[in-house]
Structure formats: structure tokens, C-alpha cells
Amino acid sequence: MKPKKSSGQREVWKFIVFAVIFGSVFLLYPIFYSIYISFHNMQGIQSVFTGFDNYIRMFHDKVFVKALMNNFTYLIFQVPIMLVLGLLLAFILNSPKLKGKNFFMLALFLPCVTSLVSYAVLFKMMFQVSGIVNKMLLTIGLIQDPINWLNSPFWAKVTVIMALCWRWTGYNMIFYLAGLQNISTETLEAASIDGANAFQKFFFVIILQLKPVIVFTTITSTIGTIQLFDEVVNLTGGGPSNETLTAAQLIYNHSFVYTSNFGYSATLSWALVVIIAILSVIQLAVTNKE
Amino acid sequence: MKKKWAVLLYSALSLSLLAACSDSGGNEAKQSAGSDDSTLTVWAWDKNFNIPIMEMAGEYYKKDGHEDFKVNVVEMSNEDTKQKMVSGFTSGVSEGLPDIVLIEDYDTQSFFINYEDKFAELSNDIAFEEFAQYKVDAVTHNDGVYAIPFDSGSAGLYYRTDYLEEAGYSPEDMQDLTWSEFVQIGKDVKEKTGKWFVAFIPNRGTHYMQMAMQSAGLWYFDDQGKVFFKDNPVIREMAVILKDIEKNQLAKPVDYFAAEGIGAVTSGEVAAVNSAVWYSATIKSAEDQAGKWAYTNIPKLETVENATHFSNLGGSSWAVLEDSPNKDLAIDFLKTEFAGNDEFYQEILVDKGAVGTYIPSQTGEAYQYKDPYFNDAQIYKDFSEWSAEIPGVDYGVNTNVAVDALRSVLQDYFDDKLTLDEMLEQAEEYYNMQVGE
């Protein structure tokens, strides 16, 4: 005889049903539909089933590879710089001796509540050939000629990285600060009694206890960088020579700038999903092993 | 058992809620696209130009005996207009879209080919022989005409007479230049005055390529619609010109039509601008520079057969949506004002500097206007006369891909990482990859 379901279980279902229906309509349907259209080649409203053609095309698409490489460049340089900087700032802000703590916290957090477009426009103005950054660098004698920040393949990438750090460091810092405040002072005192110096305390006591927060910020920053769009579009438009183009911008171009090939866009989007999933799994695995 | 019913009821309720959501969305959308049969919804950009002109046309139509008529112009950037149209069309929704939409001429073919049946065919209602031929070509697809040509992108070379004089050039020297002479003058200006010669980012300078191509009746594609970079004589000549401009730092590297590009021109940092007649409004916004600007026709290509001094940059047209509930009214409105009202054209010319491409209007008095800003030159008469000489070209569906393909390689060519041949080959490869060929 089948065991009768407890009434508790039924109560639970009542709560779940609405979410399930909502989720299926607005979450599952778009997901499955995007898989469906990724097997189609579309030009405007003309859609043709092409099997795996889009996927084969993707592997031969040098522009997509270049865009992905740019994403990884940002990932490799920007994410570590930003996270280390965030951690250091959080450490300083957590010091009980610091005066004007609220002011610094506000100043560092303000960039991430600024509108994405307006800060990109601001950076674009600052980093022009005759912009304020070049003027400052010339005045203090650090450079002889103005740097063409936004139009040189190398400096354009540097500018994007700086812009990203400016905006997101404060955001990660807040997580670290919350994490730091949860670390009990006893563990630090114990370390002091054992004769640990400041560096040892930082690396072996604080960092170790912050590990879950660090894993979280690393994964969210990785996802954010792989999906990067606004900054690049507004600062450099992907140029010069596609040196700053990101995968998300290419997907946008295929959807709205070129011939509205949503099929190919969906294919590229799925490639990004897979890449992000793999990276997240690796990051979790690496940190769990230790 | 009771509980089972409760669950069923709950799910039915949530489903009906969902249905209600979509329903109210639909109603709202209907309202925006002309809820009654005497209001037209129009999507357009530029609140100094297209939008007030459309509103003015609405006033004229009202005066012409349509008392209840109202035109509801929604301001939307060119990018947003495209995005919303594409999203609406591809999802099969006709509600929430406007009755009339402004389309930039470079995008018209792409819209009319990719979204056939979405735009009303107008050749039975409107006498298109009365419009500049190159504009009609841009909105013709499969022998049908799908939009009413509006403003002219007739292009010219604007220059600061005082800077040029300082560099040793008179207005006579500026007549009928070639592109290499243009660059040489730029070098002299930079050397003698220390000013930038022009303002645009050379590796994004495809608008120079486009002006030059159209001046010779060529485009990014050949007769079969295949990409035409490698053997395109215009691109070959202009790539060298752009490289020269870049190498000699003659151009202030700022986005040409963004605030910083316009600012560079209006603040007096720049000596020359190659652009369309609609750019004169931007130049004139710098009132302190009145009398210091002059204009002439654009430089000519040296190595290309049939090259002229006349070309087009930008310009747009009004299209009517086929599924619009007010389609007939929209067509009649456009026909009455944009394809028949001389007085309206005279007013928008004087008020907004809008050179229309409706030929009968160009004999009107306003076109004889001597502009004190340009030392009493008859700027509208000149530019509209030039527009009659502009060679027509087929912009095709993939102009935007072609633009990106060229932009993706130009900097490497400037930096000597690629030769001219390698660059064009890579650009073709890029193009083919992006259109999936």
C-alpha cells in the first residue's frame, strides 16, 4: 500500500505551484525556446532550420574567438586586481583606529550605484586625448606626449580595466567588510599569543576565514566579466580593431546591428553559458579541495 | 479532497492572473499606437530636427481640414527605434508599434528585405518621380517603394576661412579639391595654426569611405550583392587617405557625432568638417563663429572613374507600417504634407534648416535665402542643387556588417601590422564570417 502523503507536504505544494507556473512561463520557456532557435538561421522574420550549422559556424568564427579572448584578458587582469584591492580596502576600513570611516565607505561604494552609462560617458571624457587624465599626467611630467587612451589597441584595454576597477572594487569591498566583521577577535588574539606577526595574521587567520566570501566574489566577478557589455560599448564601441570587443557585444550586434540573426545569437549565448558554468565549477572545485 | 481542489483553484487563479497581465499589456500597447482613428503615433529621433518637423506637419494637416487629427511623436534614438521594431516584428506582435516610423537610409533596405510585408507599399499613392532619384532608390525594394524620402544628406566641405587664411589658403583654393589636396591642406593648417584639421576617429572613419563611395556611385557591395572590398577602388584610395590623416594626427580622435565631436567643432578647435547639409545647424549653433565659416563641395577621388564632387551622408525617410490600424490616414497625411505641401517645406527650411528631397519645393523662395552666417551664401540652394547630382547606390542589407568589418582592420593597417591588400582581405573574411557565408 502506498503511504499516504502527509498534509504538510500538500501545504508545501500550495506554496510552490505559483512559483512553478511563473517559473515555467518566464524562465523555462525562454530557455528551451533559445535552444530551439539556436538550430535555426534567421534573417529578420525568415527562419530556416539548419541543424547544427550555427554551432559549427561558431567554432570557425574568428571574431567570436577574439571577443572571448578579450573577455579572458579582462578576467585575468581585472578580476585579481579588483579583488585584492577590495580586500585591502576592506581591511583598512575595518581597522578600529581609522577616522572618517563612513565617508571613505560611502566614497568607495558610490561608484557601483552610479548609472552604468553615465560613468562610461564620464570616463570617455576624462580619457580623451585632450582630457583631464592626459593633462594631469603631462603636468606632473609622467608622460611627454598625450596618450591616445581610447584608440590605441593596448591603452583602450587598460582604460576598460581601470573603469571596471573603479566601478566594482567598492562593491566587492562591502562583501569583504561584512566578512571581516564576522571574524571573531578571539582567533586573532590567539594568533597574537602564538607570536604571529601582522602578515601571518592577515594571510593565515583572516584570509582563511574569509574563504567563502572570496569564492563568492570570484565567481560573481567572473560571471560579470564574461558577460561584460555596457562599459565597452559606451567607452570604445569595441574598437580599435575589435581589441576591446566582448562576446556580449558581438551577440548584441548579431541581434540588433547586423541582420537580426537571433538564431546565431542564441548559439553564441549558449556558448557563454557553458563557459561560465565550467569556470564556476572549476572555481568551486579548487576551493573545496583544500 | 478539499485540498486538491484548493490547489487546482490556486493554479487556475494564477493562470488567469497571467492572462490578465498580458491582456492589460495589450490594451496599453494599443493605446500608444493610435487608440482612436484620428491620432497617429510616430517614432523619430532628434528633438531639434525630425520631431518638431513632424509636429509641424501635424499642425498643417489639421489646418487642411482634419480638425480631430493629432500626431503623437515619441522621441526614440535611432538605435532604440531599430531595436524595438526588430523585437516587435520578430515576435510577431503588431500592437505597440507606431503608425509611422523614421528610418535612416542606410537601414531601409535591411528593413524592407528582412521584414517584407511589414511596411506599406506606397507607389500607388505617391508620385515618387517628384523626389530626388537617389533617395527613391534607397527606399525601393522589388519595384515597390516603401517610404517617403525626407531630408537630404547632400554633403559638402565646411571650413573656417580664418584658419585657412592663416595657413595661406583662399576660398578659391578650396574649390574642387581632390582628397590628397585636402590632406595636404590639413597638414599646412596643422603646421601653421596648430589646430586640428578635422574631428573624427580615423579607425572609425567609415563615413568618409561612404561619402567617397557614393560620390562615385559605388558601395560596399557589387551588383550581385557580394562584398566588394578587395577590388573596390574607392576603399583602396580612401584607406590611404585615412592612414595619412591618422599618421599626421590631423584629426582630433573623438566620436564624430557624439557630444565631444560636435564640441570640438563648435569650440573652434577644428578647421574643417566634411558632412551633410543638416550639419550646418550644428555649425551655426556656435554663434561667435558667424562669418568665419564657408562651404564648398566635397573633395573628389583621383583614381576612380565617374567620381564626382557630390555625395550623401545620412538622411532618413518616413515609412508606414502595414499592420497599422490607421494605415490609410498615415499615408494620406504623409502624402498631403511631405509629398505636396510647398509651404510646409519652406517653413521647415527656414526654421530648422531642413533641406527636403521633394523637388517641387526646391524652387520656393526660402531656398534663395542668403545666410549671413555663411557670408550671405545661398547654402540651401547650393546643397539642393548638388543633391540632384548625387549618384544613387544600393545600400543593401548588410551595410552595418560591412562598416564593422572595415573598422575591425583599419587600425592594424594604420599601425603597419597589415598591408593594404591584407587588410582588405581580412575585412572581407570578417564580413563573410559575420553574415555566415
Side-chain angles (χ1 to χ4, degrees):
Chain A
M1 202 177 123
K2 244 174 152 184
K4 211 179 163 199
K5 270 185 190 164
S6 70
S7 65
Q9 244 172 330
R10 281 200 192 139
E11 294 294 330
V12 169
W13 268 106
K14 266 193 258 172
F15 283 100
I16 292 175
V17 157
F18 192 68
V20 167
I21 293 173
F22 230 78
S24 333
V25 174
F26 291 109
L27 207 76
L28 291 179
Y29 170 71
I31 289 176
F32 286 115
Y33 186 65
S34 74
I35 297 176
Y36 168 78
I37 61 169
S38 75
F39 292 103
H40 289 73
N41 195 27
M42 296 163 83
Q43 185 162 352
I45 33 181
Q46 297 124 31
S47 166
V48 189
F49 179 78
T50 51
F52 283 97
D53 275 11
N54 278 335
Y55 288 90
I56 296 164
R57 177 180 163 189
M58 179 182 79
F59 283 106
H60 294 102
D61 190 341
K62 285 185 199 162
V63 183
F64 182 55
V65 173
K66 179 154 193 181
L68 272 184
M69 285 301 132
N70 290 339
N71 275 113
F72 280 109
T73 314
Y74 296 136
L75 187 70
I76 291 163
F77 289 99
Q78 189 258 336
V79 173
I81 295 174
M82 174 180 71
L83 294 186
V84 170
L85 216 60
L87 193 58
L88 282 175
L89 289 172
F91 192 61
I92 295 167
L93 281 178
N94 198 38
S95 144
K97 288 173 208 152
L98 186 75
K99 283 192 182 122
K101 205 182 279 184
N102 285 342
F103 168 76
F104 289 117
M105 218 142 81
L106 181 72
L108 288 165
F109 190 65
L110 218 50
C112 44
V113 289
T114 322
S115 137
L116 272 165
V117 175
S118 55
Y119 105 85
V121 170
L122 206 71
F123 262 74
K124 199 171 164 185
M125 282 159 67
M126 284 163 50
F127 282 89
Q128 268 174 35
V129 177
S130 50
I132 191 164
V133 174
N134 271 338
K135 273 189 189 144
M136 264 164 49
L137 293 175
L138 284 167
T139 317
I140 58 171
L142 214 62
I143 51 171
Q144 302 299 317
D145 294 307
I147 297 172
N148 199 347
W149 292 99
L150 298 169
N151 298 304
S152 122
F154 174 76
W155 291 113
K157 273 202 184 93
V158 173
T159 313
V160 171
I161 289 175
M162 281 194 283
L164 288 172
C165 284
W166 180 81
R167 185 174 164 96
W168 295 111
T169 303
Y171 179 77
N172 290 297
M173 180 197 77
I174 294 290
F175 287 106
Y176 293 136
L177 207 55
L180 281 174
Q181 279 161 1
N182 276 332
I183 293 177
S184 67
T185 44
E186 285 136 36
T187 53
L188 286 170
E189 278 163 18
S192 304
I193 293 165
D194 286 346
N197 61 25
F199 281 99
Q200 284 167 326
K201 271 196 276 183
F202 181 75
F203 285 107
F204 299 114
V205 182
I206 293 174
I207 295 276
L208 265 186
Q209 294 191 60
L210 274 185
K211 207 176 91 176
V213 186
I214 295 176
V215 174
F216 172 76
T217 50
T218 314
I219 290 177
T220 49
S221 305
T222 305
I223 295 173
T225 317
I226 301 283
Q227 294 177 335
L228 187 65
F229 177 76
D230 305 72
E231 281 86 353
V232 173
V233 170
N234 288 301
L235 269 176
T236 60
S241 295
N242 289 341
E243 287 295 331
T244 57
L245 179 83
T246 63
Q249 194 190 348
L250 189 66
I251 291 170
Y252 176 84
N253 284 351
H254 275 293
S255 302
F256 295 108
V257 181
Y258 302 163
T259 44
S260 319
N261 191 342
F262 289 104
Y264 191 51
S265 296
T267 313
L268 297 183
S269 307
W270 272 101
L272 281 198
V273 170
V274 171
I275 291 168
I276 289 172
I278 293 174
L279 284 178
S280 304
V281 168
I282 293 174
Q283 279 168 350
L284 279 173
V286 167
T287 41
N288 279 343
K289 217 194 287 171
E290 286 161 9
Chain B
M1 205 61 192
K2 234 182 191 174
K3 275 168 190 162
K4 205 181 231 170
W5 276 110
V7 171
L8 264 174
L9 199 77
Y10 200 75
S11 28
L13 206 83
S14 50
L15 266 178
S16 63
L17 224 150
L18 273 180
C21 282
S22 63
D23 222 35
S24 69
N27 280 339
E28 202 178 85
K30 251 183 211 162
Q31 268 168 16
S32 72
S35 55
D36 58 71
D37 46 14
S38 59
T39 302
L40 292 180
T41 302
V42 181
W43 286 359
W45 59 89
D46 200 342
K47 61 174 186 283
N48 294 315
F49 193 78
N50 299 312
I51 292 170
I53 286 171
M54 189 33 113
E55 279 166 352
M56 220 181 271
E59 291 301 314
Y60 267 99
Y61 195 63
K62 207 171 168 179
K63 263 192 267 167
D64 289 344
H66 307 84
E67 276 154 25
D68 297 336
F69 181 76
K70 248 175 71 190
V71 53
N72 169 31
V73 188
V74 183
E75 187 191 352
M76 212 178 273
S77 73
N78 187 7
E79 283 74 32
D80 285 351
T81 312
K82 280 197 259 181
Q83 244 187 62
K84 281 187 197 272
M85 301 266 285
V86 166
S87 319
F89 291 156
T90 45
S91 57
V93 177
S94 60
E95 285 161 356
L97 290 173
D99 303 301
I100 298 173
V101 64
L102 187 67
I103 305 182
E104 197 178 22
D105 289 346
Y106 296 138
D107 294 320
T108 45
Q109 289 299 323
S110 148
F111 268 116
F112 300 154
I113 292 171
N114 290 333
Y115 304 100
E116 230 172 14
D117 309 333
K118 294 285 178 191
F119 296 93
E121 206 277 309
L122 305 167
S123 55
N124 290 332
D125 300 286
I126 283 151
F128 282 104
E129 63 277 5
E130 294 189 319
F131 286 89
Q133 189 55 44
Y134 80 99
K135 288 281 287 192
V136 180
D137 288 350
V139 294
T140 304
H141 162 57
N142 278 353
D143 299 329
V145 190
Y146 290 87
I148 298 202
F150 173 47
D151 67 318
S152 163
S154 178
L157 161 61
Y158 301 91
Y159 58 91
R160 283 282 296 260
T161 46
D162 48 345
Y163 294 164
L164 265 300
E165 198 181 359
E166 209 180 320
Y169 292 95
S170 68
E172 285 72 44
D173 299 329
M174 299 300 286
Q175 306 272 317
D176 299 334
L177 296 176
T178 64
W179 282 104
S180 52
E181 285 165 358
F182 174 76
V183 172
Q184 185 52 48
I185 293 171
K187 290 176 187 167
D188 292 341
V189 167
K190 175 111 199 208
E191 195 192 315
K192 304 249 172 68
T193 69
K195 302 278 178 196
W196 299 104
F197 187 42
V198 282
F200 68 92
I201 302 170
N203 68 42
R204 298 176 73 81
T206 37
H207 64 299
Y208 266 57
M209 296 259 186
Q210 282 166 207
M211 271 190 282
M213 277 191 287
Q214 183 144 16
S215 78
L218 295 171
W219 201 243
Y220 295 120
F221 317 105
D222 63 14
D223 298 341
Q224 277 85 47
K226 291 254 177 274
V227 62
F228 180 47
F229 288 166
K230 257 189 294 189
D231 302 317
N232 189 319
V234 183
I235 295 180
R236 297 187 83 92
E237 184 176 332
M238 287 310 285
V240 178
I241 295 289
L242 286 176
K243 186 172 182 173
D244 219 8
I245 290 175
E246 215 260 357
K247 283 265 179 247
N248 292 287
Q249 298 182 352
L250 303 181
K252 182 174 185 187
V254 284
D255 269 350
Y256 155 70
F257 208 66
E260 56 268 27
I262 291 173
V265 174
T266 51
S267 65
E269 285 181 87
V270 167
V273 181
N274 277 301
S275 192
V277 60
W278 41 258
Y279 200 83
S280 64
T282 305
I283 290 179
K284 283 162 76 171
S285 69
E287 285 166 16
D288 57 316
Q289 295 170 28
K292 291 179 179 166
W293 283 92
Y295 59 85
T296 180
N297 43 30
I298 62 160
K300 190 169 140 177
L301 294 154
E302 283 165 25
T303 58
V304 184
E305 242 179 280
N306 304 326
T308 66
H309 283 289
F310 312 104
S311 188
N312 175 74
L313 182 69
S316 45
S317 305
W318 301 105
V320 176
L321 296 204
E322 179 69 25
D323 294 332
S324 151
N326 299 324
K327 186 178 120 182
D328 295 334
L329 177 69
I331 294 174
D332 188 61
F333 163 59
L334 289 177
K335 181 185 171 182
T336 314
E337 306 309 335
F338 287 90
N341 190 338
D342 277 0
E343 197 190 330
F344 162 65
Y345 273 107
Q346 305 306 314
E347 189 177 344
I348 60 172
L349 182 70
V350 177
D351 259 32
K352 302 288 166 207
V355 172
T357 44
Y358 178 57
I359 295 164
S361 75
Q362 296 181 351
T363 48
E365 213 168 278
Y367 278 81
Q368 307 303 317
Y369 175 66
K370 291 179 179 163
D371 196 334
Y373 194 93
F374 293 101
N375 290 315
D376 289 339
Q378 290 176 301
I379 178 165
Y380 303 127
K381 182 171 160 266
D382 291 336
F383 274 83
S384 53
E385 272 174 15
W386 296 344
S387 77
E389 312 274 336
I390 302 171
V393 293
D394 179 2
Y395 295 135
V397 279
N398 288 319
T399 288
N400 288 327
V401 188
V403 165
D404 265 13
L406 270 179
R407 286 179 174 179
S408 77
V409 288
L410 274 173
Q411 189 63 44
D412 284 344
Y413 166 65
F414 296 159
D415 295 342
D416 295 320
K417 286 183 198 158
L418 298 172
T419 65
L420 183 58
D421 288 308
E422 286 165 352
M423 169 187 90
L424 295 176
E425 196 145 322
Q426 279 195 16
E428 285 202 359
E429 198 187 345
Y430 180 106
Y431 174 89
N432 289 330
M433 225 166 336
Q434 295 315 294
V435 296
E437 275 171 15

